[in-house]
Amino acid sequence: NGKVPGNPDCGMIVIRYSMADGVQEDSHPHPGKPFHAKGFPRTAILPDNQQGNVVLKLLIKAFQRRLIFTVGPSLSRGEEDCVTWNGIHHKTQLHDSGSGHGYPDLGYLDRVLEELKQNG
């Protein structure tokens, strides 16, 4: 129903990521040690247009390939062994508050497509 600022001619896609605490696997920094999924669920927003839907499909693939999140130190929390973003930027706010995490940002979809391409 809502509109994404800077994209007045389309609706909005809302992505909801849910994660739970768990135990680190061999691919994580401390196998066998617990990790914490603080701050979940996390929400991301895309414009519901052709390019936004391409990004959505690629984000789904990236999530399935475990590229969206990683386990490691949380810079924002100052804690170890946390689920953190893994370098593929997401817009987590509808309106930008100066953090760069919201809209309008007319170059965002092009940038995230490049990040997705770089991450395979």
Side-chain angles (χ1 to χ4, degrees):
N1 293 349
K3 303 280 185 196
V4 175
N7 298 270
D9 298 328
C10 63
M12 173 175 23
I13 299 168
V14 178
I15 304 166
R16 183 179 164 107
Y17 293 107
S18 295
M19 299 288 238
D21 294 353
V23 176
Q24 296 182 53
E25 298 175 357
D26 289 340
S27 62
H28 295 134
H30 304 112
K33 187 175 177 184
F35 67 82
H36 308 285
K38 296 181 179 178
F40 283 88
R42 294 186 186 174
T43 301
I45 302 163
L46 295 170
D48 190 2
N49 58 22
Q50 184 176 357
Q51 193 175 24
N53 279 278
V54 168
V55 169
L56 175 63
K57 288 181 176 124
L58 292 173
L59 287 173
I60 291 168
K61 275 188 184 179
F63 181 82
Q64 291 168 339
R65 295 179 61 207
R66 303 173 107 183
L67 300 173
I68 301 291
F69 296 101
T70 191
V71 174
S74 169
L75 300 178
S76 62
R77 294 185 182 279
E79 299 175 13
E80 294 290 325
D81 303 310
C82 293
V83 179
T84 63
W85 295 106
N86 196 28
I88 298 172
H89 289 87
H90 287 63
K91 292 294 181 180
T92 56
Q93 300 170 347
L94 187 56
H95 300 281
D96 189 28
S97 61
S99 66
H101 297 244
Y103 291 94
D105 183 345
L106 300 181
Y108 169 68
L109 293 175
D110 291 330
R111 288 194 314 276
V112 77
L113 282 170
E114 185 59 32
E115 290 173 356
L116 287 159
K117 181 178 171 185
Q118 289 174 4
N119 283 281

